[in-house]
Amino acid sequence: MWQQQHEVLLGKLRAAGQLDMSRPVIDGSHVRALKGGPKPARARSTAASQARN
């Protein structure tokens, strides 16, 4: 449904001469990172631990 709505909106903007493609933007939610991104640092444990003697 959203893809179809997006295409309709783009068509209407294009027909009205209101579509500016000189500076398009790619949103990360629409582009898959096939090789993955950088791995985050390992999170420190927040569990209780014994104190050193």
Side-chain angles (χ1 to χ4, degrees), residues 38-47:
K39 304 289 184 213
R42 187 174 181 149
R44 293 188 308 178
S45 174
T46 57

Side-chain angles (χ1 to χ4, degrees), residues 25-50:
V25 176
I26 296 176
D27 186 309
S29 65
H30 291 85
V31 179
R32 288 180 34 198
L34 297 176
K35 293 187 178 182
K39 304 289 184 213
R42 187 174 181 149
R44 293 188 308 178
S45 174
T46 57
S49 60
Q50 294 180 349

